Amino acid sequence: MKLLLVNILLAMSWSALTGSASLINFLTGFALGYLALAVTRGRRHGETYFRRLPRMIGLLGFFLRELAASGLRAVREVLSPVRRSRPQIIRVPLALRDRHQILTLAQLLSLTPGTLVLDIAPEQDAFYVHTLFVDDADAFRDEVRSGFERRVAEALS
């Protein structure tokens, strides 16, 4: 956590030194600060930061791609005269056991258009998802496990 704050301060310093407060300039400063910290820090100092940050960025990229794809699918459904949706409630078993990871996964799934996590099982070993665009429930479960769940586990462990 300390290294993240130092990295943000380096990015803000970069923006101040270059005289531009644009998002691109801030992200450039953040990347340069990340590289500077990786070079100057020993491996044992901040090892989790240098392992976790790329995974979190990967999770964000995956989520944004899924968000765009499901958003376009929802728009097509609304604008099309033919209904393609097949709403279902699917029980998705979870390999995650940490409460924060389960909550993050549930929120990411609920934010994508066409899916909504209705409930988490009392044992926290599964949750129930209402989805609009699924033909095969097993394929949906595999997609959640290999996509969102795997990336959340990697980013938050």
Side-chain angles (χ1 to χ4, degrees):
M1 187 65 161
K2 288 181 186 178
L3 288 178
L4 175 64
L5 294 176
V6 169
N7 202 355
I8 291 172
L9 287 173
L10 287 173
M12 289 171 41
S13 299
W14 173 263
S15 295
L17 286 173
T18 58
S20 173
S22 68
L23 178 63
I24 298 296
N25 197 35
F26 179 80
L27 292 176
T28 301
F30 192 84
L32 289 173
Y34 180 83
L35 291 173
L37 288 172
V39 169
T40 59
R41 287 285 201 192
R43 282 305 249 176
R44 32 170 241 215
H45 298 303
E47 183 178 325
T48 57
Y49 175 70
F50 294 113
R51 187 181 70 235
R52 187 180 289 178
L53 184 65
R55 291 177 182 173
M56 290 190 105
I57 292 171
L59 173 63
L60 177 65
F62 177 79
F63 171 70
L64 291 176
R65 188 178 72 229
E66 289 294 318
L67 181 69
S70 60
L72 290 173
R73 193 174 359 177
V75 166
R76 185 182 74 201
E77 178 68 20
V78 169
L79 296 178
S80 173
V82 179
R83 297 290 170 232
R84 294 182 182 94
S85 66
R86 292 185 180 91
Q88 293 183 28
I89 296 176
I90 300 172
R91 183 179 193 275
V92 179
L94 296 173
L96 301 174
R97 293 295 170 242
D98 182 50
R99 288 180 25 213
H100 296 101
Q101 292 176 350
I102 292 171
L103 178 64
T104 301
L105 177 62
Q107 293 299 319
L108 290 175
L109 280 175
S110 292
L111 285 172
T112 54
T115 59
L116 176 67
V117 176
L118 299 173
D119 194 16
I120 298 174
E123 305 83 30
Q124 295 185 351
D125 63 342
F127 51 65
Y128 299 92
V129 180
H130 179 272
T131 181
L132 291 178
F133 305 106
V134 171
D135 294 324
D136 183 19
D138 290 328
F140 177 77
R141 286 184 195 99
D142 291 339
E143 184 180 322
V144 169
R145 270 189 237 126
S146 65
F148 279 107
E149 188 174 17
R150 180 180 62 82
R151 285 178 173 82
V152 166
E154 287 175 355
L156 298 181
S157 62

